[in-house]
Amino acid sequence: MTGMACRISELVLDAADPDRLAAFWCDVLDYVELERTDDGSIEIGPAAGFGSPLPTLVLNPNSAPRNGQLRLHIDVNATDRDQDAELERLLALGAVHADVGQTGSEDWHVLADPEGNEFCLLRTRLAPV
């Protein structure tokens, strides 16, 4: 067999405040709200919706405290500006610098979203999808 068997369609994050996290990630990724469910979950994604080349994010309400560093994190790349300008934009949106043991010589920035979920801003500028 050759070819692709799967691709990532959704990433699911637990959130103490799904509305706040949805607003943050919509601003970061230029996503829109796609769906709200009765249990309080919010799905956000590209305007094209679920199944487009970009994965959606599902933010599930969960008030349990997080223990330790996430085992999976999101990496983002700027599409319309350099890394320094994108870093300024992300910080203005509510991201904060996070220390996960980096040395300071990395060419990426480790940040955390408003609920403390770590993510990295990489250096390479990518073309928009």
Side-chain angles (χ1 to χ4, degrees), residues 24-107:
F24 173 80
W25 283 107
C26 278
D27 286 342
V28 169
L29 300 170
D30 193 27
Y31 274 16
V32 298
E33 184 176 309
L34 299 172
E35 181 180 14
R36 285 180 181 256
T37 60
D38 292 339
D39 70 357
S41 295
I42 302 171
E43 183 173 15
I44 64 171
F50 180 84
S52 77
L54 299 171
T56 63
L57 291 179
V58 177
L59 305 161
N60 287 334
N62 186 335
S63 60
R66 192 180 102 202
N67 296 319
Q69 184 176 333
L70 292 175
R71 294 184 76 151
L72 174 74
H73 69 267
I74 297 171
D75 288 343
V76 298
N77 297 69
T79 59
D80 63 349
R81 64 197 79 203
D82 67 22
Q83 185 188 42
D84 291 337
E86 184 62 2
L87 177 61
E88 287 182 36
R89 186 182 81 87
L90 295 175
L91 293 171
L93 292 174
V96 295
H97 290 280
D99 182 0
V100 295
Q102 61 268 38
T103 66
S105 63
E106 294 84 3
D107 64 356

